[in-house]
Amino acid sequence: DTNRQISELKFKLVKSEQEVAALEQNVIRLEGQVTRYKSASESAEKMEDELKVEKRKLHRELRSALDRIEELELSNAHLSKRLEKMKANRNALLAQQ
């Protein structure tokens, strides 16, 4: 009877050691996953920060371009008016002659 109990306990010990080994492997695997996920997360955060900086830069450039367009349109309107006045003056001079 004692031998049977000893063999059962030995079997349970071996089984427990196998479970411990399996759990240790699982821990190692999960730690590897955590490391990969942390790395991916840090990379994504860095990329997000870079994209935010790029977005701000592009918005500044857009505002600058829109301001320049407005300036050029005003200048164009002014020059068009001057041209029309010059044409009108020329036509008036030609009409007088």
Side-chain angles (χ1 to χ4, degrees):
D1 188 44
T2 307
N3 284 336
R4 184 181 54 78
Q5 286 180 339
I6 290 174
S7 68
E8 284 179 12
L9 290 174
K10 283 182 182 179
F11 175 75
K12 287 182 181 179
L13 177 63
V14 169
K15 189 175 179 181
S16 295
E17 288 173 346
Q18 289 173 347
E19 288 178 12
V20 167
L23 290 172
E24 286 173 346
Q25 289 298 318
N26 198 21
V27 166
I28 291 169
R29 182 182 58 81
L30 291 173
E31 285 175 344
Q33 280 184 339
V34 167
T35 302
R36 285 192 302 276
Y37 289 149
K38 279 184 180 179
S39 176
S41 173
E42 289 169 359
S43 176
E45 287 175 357
K46 182 179 177 184
M47 188 179 296
E48 179 184 21
D49 291 342
E50 290 171 359
L51 288 172
K52 285 179 181 178
V53 168
E54 182 70 16
K55 181 180 176 183
R56 284 193 294 271
K57 177 184 169 194
L58 290 172
H59 275 286
R60 276 194 306 273
E61 289 177 8
L62 175 62
R63 282 193 304 274
S64 176
L66 291 174
D67 290 345
R68 182 71 176 135
I69 288 171
E70 186 178 351
E71 289 174 19
L72 292 172
E73 286 175 343
L74 289 173
S75 177
N76 188 29
H78 174 70
L79 292 173
S80 293
K81 287 179 186 176
R82 282 184 59 194
L83 180 62
E84 291 301 320
K85 285 182 184 178
M86 291 173 81
K87 285 181 182 177
N89 287 340
R90 184 188 68 187
N91 288 340
L93 286 175
L94 290 175
Q96 286 178 356
Q97 293 177 351

